[in-house]
């Protein structure tokens, strides 16, 4: 399921509480773009784009949302997880977060290269 949904990112490293150095935001190792890495509800991690797009511009298999998880005894949000948009399709103008896989220029070049080899 994780492979099919593109949830194959490595977890964001836990910072050392005693380390005061600046922690750089993650970047895609293939294209160098900024990404956001979030856990999923099934203990895998997914690389997401840094901006939301309207649902009409994102293919269904790349649509994600972030869900805030509050503490059971407090209104404070304790965690955020990524959830695939399924079941009920969002309205065309409703914002969703695309998987970085959709926007990665390096993966697009590789897909076109593989497609070109298959055509010959």
């Amino acid at each position: 399921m994780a492979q099919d949904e593109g949830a194959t990112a490595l977890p964001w490293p836990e910072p050392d509480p005693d380390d005061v150095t600046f922690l750089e935001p993650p970047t895609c190792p293939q294209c160098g773009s900024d990404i956001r890495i979030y856990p999923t509800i099934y203990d895998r991690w997914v690389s997401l784009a840094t901006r939301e797009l309207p649902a009409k511009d994102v293919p269904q298999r790349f649509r994600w949302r972030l869900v805030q998880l509050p503490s059971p005894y407090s209104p404070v949000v304790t965690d955020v997880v990524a959830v695939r948009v399924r079941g009920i399709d969002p309205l065309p103008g409703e914002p969703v977060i695309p998987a970085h896989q959709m926007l990665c220029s390096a993966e697009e070049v590789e897909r076109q290269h593989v497609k070109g080899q298959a055509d010959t």
Side-chain angles (χ1 to χ4, degrees):
M1 186 165 124
Q3 188 74 22
D4 185 48
E5 292 185 350
T8 57
L10 295 174
W12 184 248
E14 286 291 323
D16 183 11
D18 296 330
D19 189 7
V20 294
T21 57
F22 180 71
L23 192 58
E24 292 287 332
T27 57
C28 175
Q30 287 138 350
C31 70
S33 301
D34 289 340
I35 56 175
R36 297 188 292 177
I37 299 175
Y38 283 99
T40 63
I41 56 173
Y42 46 86
D43 292 332
R44 296 288 186 260
W45 295 75
V46 63
S47 299
L48 300 177
T50 56
R51 66 187 189 281
E52 294 180 336
L53 294 174
K56 66 180 180 182
D57 296 338
V58 180
Q60 187 176 15
R61 68 187 198 108
F62 295 114
R63 295 177 186 164
W64 290 83
R65 283 204 178 105
L66 297 179
V67 176
Q68 298 178 343
L69 301 177
S71 171
Y73 304 107
S74 169
V76 176
V77 173
T78 58
D79 203 1
V80 176
V81 295
V83 178
R84 276 280 310 275
V85 177
R86 293 186 180 179
I88 299 173
D89 285 336
L91 296 172
E94 194 173 342
V96 295
I97 301 172
H100 174 71
Q101 180 182 7
M102 179 188 120
L103 303 173
C104 186
S105 58
E107 288 187 18
E108 179 65 29
V109 168
E110 187 171 323
R111 281 192 296 262
Q112 289 176 354
H113 178 71
V114 170
K115 183 181 176 186
Q117 287 181 346
D119 292 341
T120 59

